[in-house]
Amino acid sequence: MKDLFDYCRFGDLRLNSRIVRTGLWESEREKTGNLTPEIYDRYENIAASGVGLIITELISLYPRDVFSKYSHTTHFTQFVREAKDLTDLVHVYGVPVFAQLGFVQYNKKTEQNMKIEDLTIDDIRKIQTDFIIAARKIDFAGFDGIQIGLGNYYFLARFINPNFNSREDKYGGNTFNRLRIVLEIIKVIKQTTKLHINCRLNAFDGTTNGMTLEETINIAKLLENHGVDSLQITRPRSPQFFTKENTAKNPLIEATNEIIRNVNIPVILGGGANSQKQINDILNKTDIEFVSMQRPFVYDSSFLVDWQIEGDGISGCKTCNNCYWKKTSTCFINRNPQLNVETNIEF
């Protein structure tokens, strides 16, 4: 029987458990973008808790992206030095850490939030170059891997989606052409860094002429064939908690399971579980071997310690989603997770 606290392999990496912590927003950074003591403390708590893999909060590719005020960027002063301190701290606990990299808007001088069909080839080369330069910085900073944001409604998620990409050149049309911008980035990152490459993909999106599960499976196969080391499966809107009953019938679980059956690289279920029993049921009733969690770590960065002791843990997160909507890395219910003190706050 599989257990969430199994020691296991993730490609070439060794994990202390099957739990992957995926970050989102970074509200505790300084205005200049630099890391604060609170950020280092949070990462140390997560690394020491028994987590298998840490994926950072979003690192925005561009400092003027729509989400850049809520995230890090590789452009901020001393990014490599400070990030190296962070990765060294996480590695003390034998935990690998990936940098999550993505962006939402592409802006060019006075042209803001450009449409995919309006990008020139030079624009595409600019995006690719910026990604590769950022990946080099991430490698220098000691990260074990990079997560390329191809999910949710990030720019590259729209680029590879037939509902948004109406280009008629070699970067539009069929699946391979729409994915070409990403495959070319991956090729150079593989040639110039030692990073494990993970791609975050939407399982489906429900839009007219958009991403179906069949299309995602085709993309997953192409990514594997072109050097991607692992995948994380999500959906455009942030996943909500699964019901305790019939978890194997949850659409995201079913889609992730089907993708796993079509590739030979590790695949992470992208969020939604909130209890030890739920996760172990998923692990033992499906082919899924890795489960991502985000909000429970916002509520309490050390909750896995209690789960290991109790053996039947349930996250204290109430799924109020304020950490998501208000774009913070802190919980609005549990103001002091180290003391496990809740405050009554009305919204």
Side-chain angles (χ1 to χ4, degrees), residues 52-183:
L53 168 67
I54 293 175
I55 301 176
T56 68
E57 278 86 2
L58 174 65
I59 299 173
S60 183
L61 186 63
Y62 295 116
R64 295 184 180 178
D65 189 30
V66 64
F67 286 152
S68 61
K69 66 174 69 175
Y70 315 112
S71 62
H72 290 307
T73 169
T74 57
H75 294 78
F76 78 71
T77 305
Q78 300 177 328
F79 170 82
V80 172
R81 184 184 67 78
E82 294 187 359
K84 183 65 167 63
D85 290 339
L86 187 146
T87 58
D88 285 346
L89 179 62
V90 170
H91 288 154
V92 167
Y93 297 91
V95 176
V97 54
F98 292 179
Q100 179 187 170
L101 185 66
F103 68 106
V104 178
Q105 299 174 332
Y106 182 70
N107 304 316
K108 183 173 68 174
K109 297 181 180 179
T110 59
E111 298 179 77
Q112 301 293 301
N113 198 13
M114 292 182 65
K115 294 181 179 180
I116 291 165
E117 60 265 27
D118 292 335
L119 296 183
T120 66
I121 296 298
D122 285 343
D123 294 329
I124 290 174
R125 294 290 176 263
K126 176 71 165 56
I127 291 169
Q128 291 175 319
T129 300
D130 292 338
F131 242 102
I132 292 160
I133 291 171
R136 293 276 287 172
K137 290 182 179 180
I138 287 165
D139 191 30
F140 291 148
F143 287 97
D144 301 280
I146 182 172
Q147 181 178 84
I148 299 176
L150 306 182
N152 307 111
Y153 282 121
Y154 289 170
F155 186 85
L156 291 180
R158 301 197 306 275
F159 201 106
I160 67 177
N161 190 320
N163 191 50
F164 296 96
N165 185 338
S166 60
R167 297 179 68 93
E168 297 181 353
D169 61 1
K170 66 178 183 178
Y171 289 96
N174 63 42
T175 304
F176 182 87
N177 281 354
R178 284 182 278 109
L179 194 61
R180 188 189 300 270
I181 184 174
V182 178
L183 300 180

